[in-house]
Amino acid sequence: MPDAERLDYRTIDEVIHGRVRLAVMAYLSGAGSADFGELRTKTGVTDGNLSVNLRKLEAAGYVAIEKKFVDRRPQTICHLTEAGRTAWIAYLARLQAMLFDPGSPPAS
């Protein structure tokens, strides 16, 4: 692939590429799901900032948000969807393609 194509930043998934959304996707890719408080703690952002970014991921179909009550307290659980996992893998592959010369293997 010519460098112009390999380095085309416009092909990066902008929904995932936002810093908070990137952190959420990275965490959920390992955990599968997490409650709102756990995500807030892991990302270190405010409730409002996390809510806005979760809505963007939900609108893209990358996360599913489940709201329920546990012991009369509201609980919000965020799940990585299959579409989200596919988009995450494609995002990582795209970054790897940008970072490494296709003629040489990645550094270990």
Side-chain angles (χ1 to χ4, degrees):
M1 175 185 310
D3 275 349
E5 288 178 40
R6 185 174 64 84
L7 298 175
D8 187 358
Y9 62 88
R10 295 168 295 190
T11 60
I12 293 175
D13 187 329
E14 289 187 33
V15 173
I16 294 175
H17 199 65
R19 292 183 301 187
V20 174
R21 295 185 300 276
L22 178 60
V24 168
M25 292 294 287
Y27 187 73
L28 291 179
S29 72
S33 64
D35 70 32
F36 188 89
E38 183 179 358
L39 284 174
R40 182 186 57 228
T41 299
K42 296 295 182 182
T43 58
V45 298
T46 64
D47 287 2
N49 195 349
L50 182 57
S51 291
V52 166
N53 283 285
L54 285 174
R55 278 195 296 272
K56 288 180 182 182
L57 290 169
E58 183 181 37
Y62 295 169
V63 298
I65 297 178
E66 172 189 4
K67 294 186 180 262
K68 61 183 181 178
F69 284 88
V70 175
D71 296 327
R72 295 188 197 168
R73 296 182 67 168
Q75 187 176 40
T76 301
I77 307 290
C78 303
H79 305 273
L80 186 65
T81 65
E82 191 58 41
R85 184 163 303 285
T86 299
W88 176 248
I89 291 167
Y91 175 83
L92 293 177
R94 184 68 195 103
L95 285 182
Q96 187 174 21
M98 289 179 76
L99 295 172
F100 301 109
D101 178 17
S104 63
S108 29

